[in-house]
Amino acid sequence: MKTLVKTSMKLLLRTKAFWFFLLLMPMLSTLILKVKFDSSAAYVDNSKEEIIELDKVEDKVAYYGGKGEYVIKVYDASHSELSDYLLNKLSKSGMFLVCRADLSKDSEKGIVNDGYIQRFIDKDGYEDRMGAALYIHPDFDEVILRGNVSDAVTIYNLSEDGRNEAMEKEVAFQLSRIKSAAAGVENADSSLIMQQLSEVDSRLPEKEIVSVAGGNGRDLTVKQTNQRSQMGYAFAFMTLGFVFCGIFVAHASIKEQKNGVLTRINLTKANTFQYFASKFITVFIISIMVSVVMAACSIALNMDDLGMSRLKFISMIFMMGLIFSSVSMLIGIILGDVMSANVAAFTVWCMSALLSGLYFPLNYTSPALKALSFMMPQKWFLEGTEMIFVGDNKAFPMLICITAAFLVVILSLGSLGLKIRRTDSWGNT
């Protein structure tokens, strides 16, 4: 056993491509973890019921409706206190998700008109997804003061959603309240109307929203959501490095099978399981080496930005890497062909990364896809990452059990695959 491990390690250390993946992937993962980006749109929390301000009028709003919300895109050419009041009332109703594009500066230039808005409506109707769009006219306040509320807002229904009627009634109701407040004030202007509306609202019972995580969910902050996304991308690069490091071990095993080395080993006291166990020990040593390189690279990281300690981070990398390097070694040994092993291992890495949610959340996919996602190792490590973020002490016991379960299956299938290949090769000869 010891001799087999030494021989495998010598062959690996002589391979230049092995050193490439050993050093490059931890460096790329470190760069990913140092990049600051905002992924909150993919995990947007609408429990606060606030207006979502768009940076540009061309920005898409479909990203904000991932949970099936009724999304309203508002082209606000007024951006006055009264238009703010109207949109806040819509968003706080709890029925709608309001995304506002501020056109007040364009309105001051005199370029905002029905044709100008219609061009955006035509484009968004095909390239975006929303329940409806509202155009708040530049003279919104003046029209309200004159009592012509129907000319203050234009509604564009851009879907066949059954909530269209509820949206239209809510807009009409809020406009009628503003009109009534304006009628009850002498020499009314927007500030006096707002005072009147505020007095009426102060008499209403205050609504309290309590955010509760679901049975299988965790209530993460925006910062933790961004950290989770960064960890997912870093996991993707690291698992690719581990996959190909395991493939190099499989390449050596494939050569040994074709050159009859495995047959000569079986003629000694060593059996097939011991031979595969020696390859697994080699993979274990490689996983330690990659984790050490990652630990050295992590010195450049601020661990507070990751939301966990360096020891926990490296331990997760090691366990996940041990699984993937073992899986790639298993695939190579069973297939018995270098090119087929490379393609199969890369395919497994691509599909597992997609199905585990490393690149995008799978919270609102079909139940079948969710069940398939939990068969991917990365999914469990993302779950462990969230548990660490919220201070759950069960994270590492869970990850250790998952790692052990995957390794038991891999060892069993690997020794069985070698026996089948050996029997097949003897039958062919």
Side-chain angles (χ1 to χ4, degrees):
M1 176 80 72
K2 188 175 180 180
T3 304
L4 292 174
V5 174
K6 283 184 177 180
T7 303
S8 298
M9 287 302 302
K10 287 180 181 179
L11 291 173
L12 277 175
L13 296 177
R14 293 172 185 171
T15 306
K16 294 180 181 179
F18 167 74
W19 288 100
F20 174 80
F21 283 100
L22 176 67
L23 299 175
L24 180 64
M25 292 306 167
M27 293 179 183
L28 288 176
S29 299
T30 304
L31 290 176
I32 289 294
L33 292 171
K34 285 183 72 67
V35 174
K36 303 296 182 182
F37 62 95
D38 184 9
S39 62
S40 56
Y43 304 87
V44 63
D45 179 13
N46 302 319
S47 61
K48 295 182 179 179
E49 298 181 345
E50 296 177 349
I51 301 172
I52 298 173
E53 301 289 353
L54 302 177
D55 294 331
K56 297 180 296 183
V57 67
E58 298 87 359
D59 287 353
K60 306 300 181 185
V61 301
Y63 305 111
Y64 299 99
K67 301 178 184 178
E69 294 90 349
Y70 185 93
V71 182
I72 302 174
K73 186 171 183 179
V74 180
Y75 303 92
D76 190 354
S78 175
H79 207 294
S80 63
E81 286 185 301
L82 292 180
S83 68
D84 282 349
Y85 180 83
L86 170 64
L87 298 182
N88 276 304
K89 281 298 181 181
L90 286 177
S91 63
K92 293 183 183 300
S93 67
M95 296 185 290
F96 317 110
L97 186 63
V98 178
C99 302
R100 174 166 60 185
D102 184 7
L103 298 180
S104 57
K105 293 183 179 178
D106 291 342
S107 177
E108 293 174 358
K109 298 176 184 178
I111 62 175
V112 178
N113 51 45
D114 291 344
Y116 180 84
I117 297 298
Q118 189 63 48
R119 288 197 297 272
F120 288 110
I121 294 295
D122 293 340
K123 183 178 180 181
D124 289 339
Y126 287 102
E127 299 181 4
D128 205 349
R129 188 186 66 183
M130 64 193 77
L134 297 183
Y135 168 41
I136 298 179
H137 294 244
D139 54 350
F140 179 81
D141 289 12
E142 291 79 5
V143 173
I144 291 291
L145 294 175
R146 291 197 301 267
N148 300 325
V149 293
S150 59
D151 298 330
V153 177
T154 302
I155 300 176
Y156 300 89
N157 285 322
L158 301 179
S159 70
E160 297 180 356
D161 197 301
R163 292 168 288 186
N164 287 340
E165 184 178 356
M167 182 271 300
E168 292 176 0
K169 289 183 177 180
E170 182 66 20
V171 171
F173 173 68
Q174 296 301 335
L175 288 175
S176 66
R177 290 185 67 244
I178 297 174
K179 179 181 178 181
S180 298
V185 177
E186 295 182 2
N187 300 321
D189 60 23
S190 59
S191 60
L192 294 176
I193 296 173
M194 284 300 303
Q195 290 179 9
Q196 183 77 6
L197 291 170
S198 298
E199 290 178 6
V200 175
D201 291 341
S202 65
R203 303 189 192 104
L204 298 175
E206 185 176 352
K207 181 171 66 172
E208 182 181 0
I209 299 175
V210 179
S211 179
V212 180
N216 296 322
R218 297 171 190 88
D219 194 10
L220 301 181
T221 65
V222 174
K223 180 180 179 181
Q224 289 171 337
T225 297
N226 291 332
Q227 289 171 337
R228 180 194 182 278
S229 299
Q230 284 183 300
M231 291 291 287
Y233 293 129
F235 283 168
F237 279 102
M238 285 305 303
T239 50
L240 179 62
F242 281 108
V243 162
F244 278 96
C245 286
I247 278 293
F248 294 133
V249 179
H251 287 180
S253 178
I254 292 171
K255 291 180 181 178
E256 290 172 353
Q257 293 178 50
K258 291 183 177 181
N259 295 334
V261 176
L262 179 58
T263 303
R264 292 194 293 271
I265 291 174
N266 287 325
L267 294 176
T268 64
K269 295 181 179 180
N271 55 35
T272 303
F273 181 80
Q274 289 175 324
Y275 174 78
F276 187 78
S278 69
K279 298 301 180 185
F280 174 75
I281 293 172
T282 304
V283 165
F284 185 88
I285 296 172
I286 292 172
S287 300
I288 293 177
M289 294 172 63
V290 178
S291 300
V292 168
V293 175
M294 188 67 216
C297 293
S298 68
I299 296 175
L301 298 173
N302 183 357
M303 301 312 294
D304 291 336
D305 293 338
L306 293 185
M308 65 180 70
S309 66
R310 183 173 282 104
L311 179 61
K312 290 181 178 180
F313 173 65
I314 298 302
S315 299
M316 289 178 64
I317 292 293
F318 169 73
M319 288 188 287
M320 185 171 56
L322 185 60
I323 293 174
F324 272 92
S325 53
S326 301
V327 167
S328 60
M329 178 189 65
L330 168 66
I331 292 173
I333 289 177
I334 291 179
L335 292 179
D337 179 74
V338 172
M339 183 58 67
S340 299
N342 291 341
V343 173
F346 187 76
T347 302
V348 167
W349 171 78
C350 288
M351 297 304 299
S352 63
L354 287 172
L355 295 174
S356 61
L358 290 186
Y359 304 132
F360 47 81
L362 302 176
N363 299 338
Y364 308 104
T365 55
S366 65
L369 193 58
K370 289 181 181 178
L372 185 61
S373 175
F374 277 101
M375 297 177 65
M376 308 300 153
Q378 302 102 311
K379 175 65 175 179
W380 293 100
F381 283 89
L382 283 178
E383 289 286 317
T385 299
E386 292 184 5
M387 292 170 71
I388 292 173
F389 286 164
V390 299
D392 193 337
N393 295 326
K394 297 179 182 179
F396 267 90
M398 182 268 289
L399 292 177
I400 291 172
C401 292
I402 291 297
T403 303
F406 273 105
L407 294 180
V408 167
V409 173
I410 291 168
L411 282 171
S412 303
L413 292 177
S415 57
L416 178 62
L418 278 175
K419 288 182 180 180
I420 293 175
R421 285 198 60 80
R422 185 182 62 178
T423 304
D424 182 62
S425 62
W426 285 354
N428 291 335
T429 54

